[in-house]
Amino acid sequence: MYIQKRSLRFCGIFLFLIISLLYFSAKLLLIQFFRSDHLAALAEKQQNHYLTLEPVRGAIYDRQLRPLAINVPVYSVYANPRRMSKAQKDAAIRDLSALLDIEPRPLREKLSRDKYFVWLARKIPLELTEKVRHAKLKGIGLIKESKRSYPNQYLAAHLIGFAGMDNRGLEGLELLFDKYLRGEPGWSQILRDARQRELLIEKGFIPPKDGFSLVLTIDETIQYITERALDKAFLKSNAIAATVIVMDPKTGEILALANRPTYDLVNFDFSAPENRINRAVALVYEPGSIFKIVAASAALEEKIFKETDKIFCENGSYLVGGHILHDHHGHGLLTFSEVFEQSSNIGTTKIAQKMGAATFYKYARRFRFGMKTGIDLIGEVNGTLKPPSQWSKTSIGALPIGQEVTATPMQLVCAMASIANDGTYMKPYLVKYIKDTHDELIQSFEPQMVDQVISPETAQRIKVILQGVVDRGTAKKAQIAGMAVAGKTGTAQKVIDGRYSANRFYASFFGFAPVEDPKLAVIVVFDDPRPNHFGGTVAAPVFRDIVADALKYLDVKEGGG
């Protein structure tokens, strides 16, 4: 009996061992053949710490290699929640919420995650970095990164744009050339022990490739001169908005571009979206009398008129297609040149009527209205220019004086700068070249001729007429002592609810100087200035202030040199 009980106990134990062996063998086979990849990956993740190495974003410089956008070293705060006890997490929440001015709730949520790594605060100021380091919080660490910095804050904001927290471009040149500026991240693989402590043993390393840098056509000093003059006039004019573009008419290089309202590149998150619109290329308006240069150029190029030809301007009232066209001041007989000096709507319409709609349209297209300039900026629009097949009976009295046509300030400055450049239209551009961290050239951009819009002889004749506009006509406030200046004013009624407003206007002025050897071509546009709304009163003085100071800076005097 005793032997039988022992035999049963032995069989029971043996059976238990056999079942256990089979169970663990099955478990081992399951792990080996079905879960091996998952467990190996888990072990790899626990033993290896992959650290992404952020590249340094390329800088943006002006034409004199003065920095407009750079990267500065900063630190970011991270945590390893898996290594932290509840008490350590509570201490971190309490101290970091006070040090970094962060609500406890988001910190608590991040520290509750079952992860080895979470960001708590990105790219904090250096003074806060020291405070976090001195707090010596368990499970909390600092990683060195870089942050985009804009030394001049507001200067050239609509050109430069900005980059986000991850150093990726979000606006302006920062976005358009992001693939060059961003660079490529690297990585470092560091071994860790079972307690997730780094062993300072580097298993693998690929260095980051820093981004390339942009060198612009912009001149920081001319940009400052432009924005200073614009700020002063913008406040005085009570306008809704304003734009100024300064261009080298011989090369197409943009030397300065500014819009108002503007925004702070350092604190772009707090700016209104409408303040970030680059009005120079993204918004259109009816140009008004500036557009009369197209009719003047076409009439002289086609030999339909001479400067001395007399045109009767109907004493201020003229019927066109059942609509009465008016001049601001009534005129009788004016010479061809005087029509543009005095900005006569009636005289310009009569010139256009004699040349015909097809000829006028051909030259408007030659000046590239209704098409993009191709400048290296995001958001450029076409503007509108109707073909003669879509004209109404009154269009022949509207388009030549800058109505029923829309254009951006960039289109206007390029078209009119071709007059200063002996009839040659140059493609506008902002980036001179791209270079690497060793100052090796990656890509360069050269001046590019687009078209010969009118002959050099016709361009010279138009220059004389435009000089008369400044000397004797509607743009006397653009005069610069001791220097010959050429230009054209524009005062255009705004279209409100499908009708031309009687008291809301665009005031503009285009000009270039010195006339004999133009170095600068400038357009100035104000949106709804009050109470003065004439281009010659509001916009021309801004041109004068910018060009006078910019040419002093460039050490240019009449006659060159």
Side-chain angles (χ1 to χ4, degrees):
M1 191 71 176
Y2 176 73
I3 294 173
Q4 186 178 6
K5 287 183 177 179
R6 289 190 64 182
S7 178
L8 289 173
R9 186 181 301 168
F10 175 79
C11 289
I13 293 172
F14 182 76
L15 184 61
F16 173 77
L17 292 174
I18 290 296
I19 293 172
S20 298
L21 179 63
L22 291 173
Y23 172 79
F24 288 116
S25 296
K27 192 75 172 177
L28 184 61
L29 289 172
L30 178 66
I31 292 172
Q32 182 68 28
F33 292 103
F34 296 99
R35 300 200 65 201
S36 59
D37 291 342
H38 169 72
L39 294 174
L42 184 60
E44 175 79 10
K45 186 176 180 181
Q46 291 174 339
Q47 296 167 9
N48 296 277
H49 180 206
Y50 290 91
L51 182 64
T52 299
L53 303 176
E54 185 183 57
V56 176
R57 187 172 177 83
I60 300 178
Y61 300 99
D62 86 330
R63 63 190 300 116
Q64 306 296 338
L65 295 180
R66 292 172 289 202
L68 300 174
I70 57 175
N71 272 33
V72 295
V74 291
Y75 285 85
S76 295
V77 184
Y78 72 92
N80 184 344
R82 282 195 172 185
R83 287 186 57 190
M84 299 173 69
S85 66
K86 184 179 183 306
Q88 290 170 344
K89 291 179 180 180
D90 290 341
I93 292 169
R94 181 187 66 247
D95 292 351
L96 291 179
S97 62
L99 288 173
L100 303 178
D101 193 24
I102 301 175
E103 290 293 325
R105 185 175 179 178
L107 288 175
R108 185 173 291 106
E109 188 276 326
K110 290 178 180 179
L111 291 176
S112 67
R113 298 174 188 173
D114 186 24
K115 290 187 175 183
Y116 292 109
F117 182 95
V118 293
W119 288 115
L120 297 183
R122 298 290 302 280
K123 302 182 180 183
I124 63 175
L126 289 177
E127 61 271 16
L128 294 182
T129 301
E130 291 304 313
K131 292 180 180 180
V132 172
R133 186 176 284 118
H134 290 153
K136 296 180 180 180
L137 297 166
K138 296 293 184 181
I140 304 298
L142 292 163
I143 290 180
K144 188 175 182 179
E145 296 191 283
S146 62
K147 182 180 180 181
R148 206 59 165 165
S149 176
Y150 303 96
N152 299 310
Q153 291 186 280
Y154 293 91
L155 199 74
H158 293 94
L159 292 179
I160 300 169
F162 50 83
M165 186 64 70
D166 59 357
N167 269 339
R168 286 181 176 267
L170 299 176
E171 192 63 81
L173 293 174
E174 291 274 31
L175 174 57
L176 185 61
F177 287 86
D178 185 61
K179 67 178 182 179
Y180 295 99
L181 292 164
R182 187 171 66 240
E184 297 179 12
W187 58 268
S188 177
Q189 183 181 3
I190 300 173
L191 293 179
R192 297 190 293 197
D193 64 13
R195 294 179 177 271
Q196 301 299 298
R197 293 176 298 195
E198 292 182 357
L199 300 176
L200 301 180
I201 300 175
E202 196 170 74
K203 191 176 178 182
F205 173 74
I206 294 179
K209 294 181 181 179
D210 292 341
F212 300 136
S213 294
L214 304 183
V215 178
L216 307 185
T217 62
I218 295 297
D219 187 293
E220 183 186 62
T221 301
I222 296 177
Q223 182 73 31
Y224 171 76
I225 289 169
T226 298
E227 298 206 27
R228 180 182 63 185
L230 181 58
D231 277 331
K232 180 181 176 181
F234 184 59
L235 291 173
K236 183 178 179 181
S237 70
N238 300 305
I240 294 173
T243 297
V244 176
I245 305 172
V246 182
M247 180 181 183
D248 182 338
K250 297 176 182 178
T251 65
E253 293 176 311
I254 303 300
L255 302 176
L257 186 154
N259 295 290
R260 291 298 181 270
T262 187
Y263 67 103
D264 182 356
L265 291 173
V266 177
N267 299 299
F268 63 85
D269 283 333
F270 301 100
S271 61
E274 58 269 22
N275 290 1
R276 300 199 294 265
I277 296 173
N278 190 350
R279 296 170 178 271
V281 296
L283 295 182
V284 296
Y285 73 104
E286 291 191 350
S289 294
I290 285 182
F291 204 70
K292 292 173 181 176
I293 296 176
V294 175
S297 300
L300 294 182
E301 183 78 1
E302 294 290 324
K303 298 181 172 57
I304 298 171
F305 283 90
K306 301 189 300 294
E307 289 87 336
T308 55
D309 287 345
K310 297 290 182 68
I311 299 165
F312 180 53
C313 294
E314 306 290 340
N315 297 312
S317 297
Y318 182 52
L319 186 65
V320 180
H323 171 75
I324 297 178
L325 183 66
H326 296 282
D327 277 338
H328 183 66
H329 296 293
H331 300 286
L333 278 176
L334 293 177
T335 65
F336 180 90
S337 294
E338 290 171 338
V339 165
F340 298 99
E341 288 178 9
Q342 302 303 321
S343 200
S344 169
N345 294 331
I346 294 170
T348 304
T349 296
K350 284 192 168 185
I351 291 169
Q353 285 177 322
K354 187 170 182 179
M355 78 173 71
T359 300
F360 177 82
Y361 178 76
K362 178 179 74 172
Y363 279 89
R365 290 295 286 180
R366 277 194 182 180
F367 279 103
R368 302 187 70 78
F369 288 104
M371 61 184 82
K372 297 177 182 178
T373 66
I375 190 170
D376 39 354
L377 277 174
I378 289 174
E380 185 179 21
V381 296
N382 288 314
T384 58
L385 176 66
K386 297 186 298 184
S389 61
Q390 297 178 13
W391 288 19
S392 67
K393 292 181 180 180
T394 59
S395 293
I396 194 64
L399 272 91
I401 65 173
Q403 295 181 340
E404 296 185 18
V405 58
T406 64
T408 65
M410 185 62 68
Q411 288 173 317
L412 285 164
V413 75
C414 292
M416 304 314 168
S418 65
I419 305 283
N421 192 34
D422 296 329
T424 302
Y425 187 109
M426 301 299 293
K427 179 181 178 180
Y429 67 107
L430 277 162
V431 178
K432 286 178 72 70
Y433 59 90
I434 303 171
K435 67 187 185 80
D436 66 13
T437 53
H438 303 291
D439 289 334
E440 295 292 329
L441 187 67
I442 302 301
Q443 187 175 356
S444 64
F445 303 89
E446 302 297 329
Q448 182 178 337
M449 174 185 169
V450 177
D451 193 12
Q452 187 70 38
V453 180
I454 54 176
S455 67
E457 294 75 20
T458 299
Q460 183 59 41
R461 294 165 71 185
I462 296 294
K463 286 182 186 180
V464 174
I465 292 173
L466 295 181
Q467 184 176 343
V469 174
V470 175
D471 289 346
R472 300 177 296 276
T474 58
K476 293 185 178 69
K477 291 189 176 182
Q479 294 174 0
I480 300 173
M483 182 175 296
V485 175
K488 184 70 186 77
T489 57
T491 305
Q493 293 170 285
K494 296 185 70 172
V495 177
I496 308 295
D497 297 327
R499 293 177 174 272
Y500 284 105
S501 172
N503 56 10
R504 300 183 68 180
F505 301 87
Y506 289 105
S508 55
F509 178 82
F510 166 81
F512 55 88
V515 170
E516 292 304 314
D517 184 20
K519 294 294 190 294
L520 301 175
V522 181
I523 192 161
V524 182
V525 180
F526 283 85
D527 181 350
D528 202 15
R530 297 173 183 238
N532 295 319
H533 62 267
F534 293 106
T537 303
V538 179
V542 180
F543 164 89
R544 177 197 64 214
D545 293 344
I546 291 171
V547 172
D549 288 345
L551 290 180
K552 285 179 184 177
Y553 162 70
L554 295 172
D555 194 26
V556 174
K557 296 180 176 61
E558 177 70 343

